[in-house]
Amino acid sequence: MTDATTALATGDLAATQTSYMAQVRRKRMYSGITLLIFVLLMVSGFNIADARNAGGFWDGLHNIFDFPYAVVSEAWAKRDQLPAHMLHYVPALVETINIAAVSTLIGALLGLVLSLLSTRGMALWPALMPAFRRIMDIMRAVPEIVIALVLIYMMGGGPVPAVVAIAFHTGGALGKLFSEVNENASLQPIEGLHSVGATWFQRMWLGVIPQVAPNYLSYALLRFEINIRASAILGFVGAGGIGYELKNSMSWGMGKFDEAAAIFLLLFATIMAVDQLSSHYRNRLTQGART
Amino acid sequence: MTMLLTGTDLKQQAEGLLARKRLAAIAVPTVILAYFIYIFFAFDIAGLSQRLRLDNAATLIADSYSYKTEVTRDHRTGATTVAIEGERKGQYPADAPPDWVQVQGNRTVIDMGQGQTITLLPDNAVTYVIPGYGVIQAQLSNGRITSNLTEPIPDWINASGTRIAITTDTGRLTITRSKTEVFRYFWGWEMFWFALDSPYANHGVVSLLTGPQLDPARSNIAGMWNDFWMNPVWRHADTAWAISETILMAFLGTFGAALIALPLAFIAARNFTPNRVARFGIRRLFDFVRGVDALIWTIVLSRAFGPGPLTGALAILVTDSGTFGKIFSEALENVDDKQIEGIASTGAKPVQRYRFGVIPQITPILLSQILYFLESNTRSATIIGAITGGGIGLLLTQAMQTQKDWEEVTFYIILVILMVIAMDWLSGMLRRRLIQGSGG
């Protein structure tokens, strides 16, 4: 840019044009090289993944609808039993939703405390702020399945390992989002409360929470949406709920696909419903905060 | 002042409002508490203490930072072997046991640390010298184990006619009818650097780097690297492969999804597609692939493509193309029309209008979303890998299913966390640089 401006100042139009064209060419070359590297990475990555997969991509491509077709045709043949199957799996679905709800609640409480402890001006021990930030980073980095598998080994299958695993990760993830919200909150109410001798808990409860509650709720709802999916997946590795039932009905294979179809439908409907509900309430919360 | 003007009406109103607020402040925690109480019974938290296997937990914790070396004497053959964790791969050669095991003729003297010594004597006899307690002697003869133990027997000794087990801080001695076993515990992860058959095992770092060449065929550093990388117990090369496979799944899935979602997002955006039917169709398609969820896609796709990293990558790709489609089309609807009009006024064709009027506006949003998903998909790829069988997720589940090498599980968990933190850092750095760079 500096070349162009100096050239313009001397009034030499031709020099301006050449320097501008040179810059454009250089920029194009850089984007071209970046694009080339990206394409190479994608193609070679695909080839590596294809080579290491049990079945190849091109062989599998025309089989892709075989399994959905088998499930749908079997479910259609036994369509009169479908409502009964769906009813049968409702308790498992309730367990999955409960796992997501409890872990979101616990995770949100954890994240609330951690975020307050790691925000400037609100921290109870300002010297420990970086430590709490690192704790949140690590909590966020732990995939749910790691904790879930270890706990399943220790306490057997069931909802509790899933709750602990999801809540741990949620605590870190929400903690980070919450602390971003906290940074935009006004510190004046806290100072005011401090001057009248309020304790740390009172300052947070009366000075911070009313400011940030709508944004917190909105993030927690988004997390609930994510956690429903997570709790279904963890069920598949043994942590109870509808994922576990899905794994069982899948392992029975042909002849039980109507039950798998019922579970697919329930799971799909639940995820869609929670998505819609949460986005509706999130819109209301953020719009309410704006006015 | 106002109270005088409007009388008691305002006061009542204010009090009513306060009362309602106070009620809400109590109601929310009460509802949450009630829900927790319901969960307490629904999830049978009270029964958890019975289901909790504390011995499993203790094994897991002890194994994650320490290992045991077993000295075993078979009572039928009389042969003595020394092996780390009792595994064939960790067996010491018979002529070169570790220095705390000494073979003196027909006696084997085992130094247990803290002044304790176990001596395996001929005729299946054992003595255990424990400072502060005394000398325990035991022998197997005619199928019965006799010992000099007298009442009261302390609780760390478990003795009967067919089995004696003595557990101390440093190890454990077990005598049964078939064999005598001595466990000695050590800190750390066994054979993490080199397997026992490597010439570099049991040497310090300094002596390896500065000392004489141990293997005439290769230099110390090259040999050390080869023996470490090809370690048959820890398989570092395979682990590195698994990590890169997981990252590959996340990379292919995320960027593939973005490539598919971008053109479709133009169809789903109101200001680019006046055709309501096409818009509605594409939007429902996005909702459908997003709603079906990665779990179901993984199952469906692994039926077609078999287990492996490609299946995982495709599962991420399909799910995220729905999510990206939604985000991208919302970004496109918020595009500023003035830039497009400006480009159009110079006589640009539609493709040029998109290229110079739209893409520069949405690039920062798209890139930051894609990079954010790249990080979160690294975590998903670990989980999907555990289900479909690829990457570090598979290694983790395999190590857990064998239920014995918990130090490997610990190692994999640390690697996974480091991997996610590294991806988080990388995606954050790229996000900052690309978004600032594209503005200038």
Side-chain angles (χ1 to χ4, degrees):
Chain A
M1 263 343 221
T2 43
D3 291 351
T5 32
T6 44
L8 198 67
T10 56
D12 191 349
L13 196 65
T16 313
Q17 198 170 13
T18 36
S19 98
Y20 174 74
M21 287 316 286
Q23 276 185 44
V24 168
R25 262 199 299 277
R26 202 178 325 135
K27 202 174 170 189
R28 274 199 193 143
M29 195 177 76
Y30 284 153
S31 359
I33 291 172
T34 317
L35 196 70
L36 194 73
I37 293 174
F38 175 72
V39 169
L40 274 176
L41 274 176
M42 285 295 284
V43 171
S44 60
F46 173 80
N47 283 333
I48 293 171
D50 195 21
R52 290 188 64 92
N53 217 54
F57 178 71
W58 304 111
D59 298 331
L61 200 57
H62 52 82
N63 299 332
I64 198 163
F65 292 110
D66 288 2
F67 174 64
Y69 178 77
V71 171
V72 170
S73 58
E74 200 174 318
W76 184 250
K78 299 182 193 165
R79 59 187 176 278
D80 51 324
Q81 293 173 22
L82 210 55
H85 284 320
M86 284 171 80
L87 210 62
H88 176 237
Y89 287 115
V90 163
L93 180 69
V94 169
E95 186 168 65
T96 294
I97 296 174
N98 271 336
I99 290 172
V102 175
S103 52
T104 310
L105 262 176
I106 298 175
L109 291 175
L110 263 175
L112 169 78
V113 175
L114 281 171
S115 76
L116 291 176
L117 287 174
S118 62
T119 311
R120 204 183 305 280
M122 299 178 191
L124 183 57
W125 307 288
L128 289 179
M129 262 165 46
F132 285 116
R133 289 209 183 139
R134 288 295 90 71
I135 290 174
M136 289 196 298
D137 284 348
I138 292 174
M139 283 168 75
R140 220 150 32 89
V142 182
E144 289 106 346
I145 195 164
V146 168
I147 298 179
L149 284 175
V150 171
L151 288 181
I152 287 171
Y153 171 69
M154 271 162 42
M155 52 178 84
V160 180
V163 168
V164 176
I166 300 176
F168 191 77
H169 176 75
T170 304
L174 281 181
K176 191 185 178 220
L177 294 171
F178 286 178
S179 63
E180 278 165 17
V181 176
N182 290 349
E183 278 174 10
N184 294 323
S186 162
L187 293 177
Q188 278 162 354
I190 307 171
E191 283 159 19
L193 284 165
H194 198 61
S195 69
V196 296
T199 61
W200 182 76
F201 179 79
Q202 287 169 332
R203 269 178 279 152
M204 294 303 120
W205 185 246
L206 302 168
V208 182
I209 302 296
Q211 293 188 60
V212 294
N215 283 324
Y216 274 22
L217 264 179
S218 153
Y219 279 132
L221 276 174
L222 185 68
R223 199 69 223 179
F224 178 59
E225 222 178 291
I226 299 171
N227 284 349
I228 289 253
R229 293 159 187 257
S231 97
I233 287 199
L234 287 187
F236 205 79
V237 297
I242 196 131
Y244 186 67
E245 302 291 342
L246 180 60
K247 190 188 180 155
N248 284 344
S249 68
M250 292 289 302
S251 58
W252 287 323
M254 278 303 246
K256 287 285 184 185
F257 279 161
D258 51 330
E259 298 195 3
I263 296 173
F264 280 148
L265 278 176
L266 272 181
L267 197 55
F268 179 67
T270 310
I271 288 173
M272 291 296 269
V274 171
D275 269 24
Q276 292 298 321
L277 268 178
S278 122
S279 77
H280 173 75
Y281 279 106
R282 270 185 295 134
N283 275 337
R284 252 183 48 177
L285 280 169
T286 44
Q287 240 110 65
R290 233 178 262 158
T291 48
Chain B
M1 292 293 144
T2 35
M3 228 170 79
L4 283 173
L5 291 172
T6 50
T8 50
D9 255 15
L10 198 67
K11 186 169 184 277
Q12 267 179 350
Q13 206 181 334
E15 274 175 353
L17 237 119
L18 275 176
R20 209 179 310 149
K21 276 224 157 137
R22 213 170 280 154
L23 197 70
I26 296 171
V28 172
T30 313
V31 169
I32 293 178
L33 191 69
Y35 182 63
F36 277 140
I37 290 171
Y38 154 68
I39 286 301
F40 185 85
F41 291 107
F43 286 2
D44 190 22
I45 308 280
L48 201 65
S49 53
Q50 281 137 40
R51 274 176 286 143
L52 190 65
R53 302 271 313 269
L54 280 176
D55 50 335
N56 277 358
T59 326
L60 197 157
I61 292 166
D63 215 14
S64 63
Y65 68 85
S66 66
Y67 67 96
K68 62 177 189 286
T69 303
E70 303 181 7
V71 182
T72 313
R73 175 166 69 178
D74 193 306
H75 285 163
R76 281 183 208 91
T77 62
T80 305
T81 55
V82 185
I84 292 172
E85 294 280 358
E87 283 182 53
R88 182 170 290 276
K89 278 180 198 158
Q91 193 166 338
Y92 283 89
D95 54 335
D99 51 8
W100 49 275
V101 178
Q102 283 176 339
V103 182
Q104 301 167 341
N106 51 11
R107 295 148 56 101
T108 307
V109 181
I110 304 162
D111 176 9
M112 296 293 284
Q114 297 181 2
Q116 301 178 3
T117 319
I118 295 175
T119 312
L120 304 180
L121 298 161
D123 299 328
N124 296 335
V126 180
T127 62
Y128 194 169
V129 183
I130 303 170
Y133 180 75
V135 179
I136 300 167
Q137 292 174 325
Q139 186 166 23
L140 173 87
S141 50
N142 301 326
R144 278 197 69 77
I145 301 166
T146 50
S147 70
N148 66 340
L149 287 167
T150 47
E151 294 291 338
I153 295 173
D155 57 1
W156 43 273
I157 298 178
N158 191 336
S160 72
T162 52
R163 186 172 180 277
I164 290 180
I166 303 167
T167 314
T168 64
D169 293 343
T170 58
R172 182 185 163 103
L173 167 70
T174 319
I175 310 165
T176 60
R177 268 192 277 192
S178 61
K179 61 190 173 185
T180 306
E181 271 182 323
V182 179
F183 294 169
R184 188 179 166 186
Y185 293 100
F186 293 92
W187 287 85
W189 293 341
E190 76 276 9
M191 299 181 280
F192 180 76
W193 303 106
F194 308 113
L196 278 180
D197 55 4
S198 161
Y200 308 104
N202 300 316
H203 285 276
V205 183
V206 180
S207 79
L208 280 175
L209 289 178
T210 59
Q213 191 167 336
L214 290 176
D215 189 341
R218 49 197 185 165
S219 78
N220 269 5
I221 291 179
M224 275 160 69
W225 172 252
N226 182 59
D227 284 11
F228 166 71
W229 197 240
M230 297 297 166
N231 187 335
V233 184
W234 284 83
R235 299 183 306 170
H236 292 294
D238 292 346
T239 312
W241 243 118
I243 293 263
S244 35
E245 236 177 58
T246 301
I247 296 176
L248 182 67
M249 278 195 252
F251 173 79
L252 279 181
T254 314
F255 284 97
L259 286 179
I260 291 175
L262 188 59
L264 291 178
F266 275 96
I267 305 178
R270 196 181 308 123
N271 45 348
F272 291 95
T273 307
N275 184 344
R276 288 190 61 176
V277 178
R279 214 165 65 211
F280 185 82
I282 293 288
R283 281 196 179 178
R284 291 294 84 79
L285 181 72
F286 287 157
D287 283 348
F288 174 74
V289 291
R290 223 156 44 88
V292 168
D293 193 39
L295 170 65
I296 299 174
W297 284 123
T298 310
I299 296 168
V300 170
L301 291 171
S302 67
R303 290 275 166 151
F305 299 111
L310 185 73
T311 311
L314 288 175
I316 294 175
L317 188 150
V318 175
T319 321
D320 277 3
S321 50
T323 318
F324 279 150
K326 186 166 183 261
I327 297 173
F328 289 1
S329 63
E330 278 164 10
L332 282 171
E333 285 182 353
N334 291 327
V335 153
D336 186 1
D337 285 335
K338 291 205 185 80
Q339 278 193 42
I340 308 170
E341 279 167 26
I343 302 278
S345 71
T346 63
K349 291 191 265 308
V351 175
Q352 286 170 326
R353 259 181 288 173
Y354 288 157
R355 166 66 187 84
F356 295 102
V358 182
I359 299 285
Q361 283 193 58
I362 56 169
T363 310
I365 305 169
L366 301 199
L367 276 179
S368 101
Q369 285 295 338
I370 292 169
L371 288 170
Y372 171 73
F373 269 83
L374 181 65
E375 183 262 327
S376 103
N377 278 342
T378 317
R379 248 177 297 110
S380 311
T382 314
I383 300 176
I384 289 175
I387 296 170
T388 181
I392 192 79
L394 176 69
L395 285 191
L396 193 65
T397 41
Q398 278 177 344
M400 288 211 174
Q401 270 156 10
T402 58
Q403 301 208 341
K404 87 185 154 57
D405 293 324
W406 289 101
E407 64 280 352
E408 284 185 17
V409 175
T410 316
F411 180 51
Y412 294 147
I413 290 176
I414 293 171
L415 282 180
V416 167
I417 294 172
L418 287 180
M419 174 183 76
V420 178
I421 289 178
M423 291 301 280
D424 189 20
W425 170 82
L426 182 77
S427 114
M429 190 197 67
L430 283 177
R431 214 155 39 194
R432 274 191 299 277
R433 283 186 60 175
L434 285 173
I435 290 163
Q436 278 166 8
S438 69

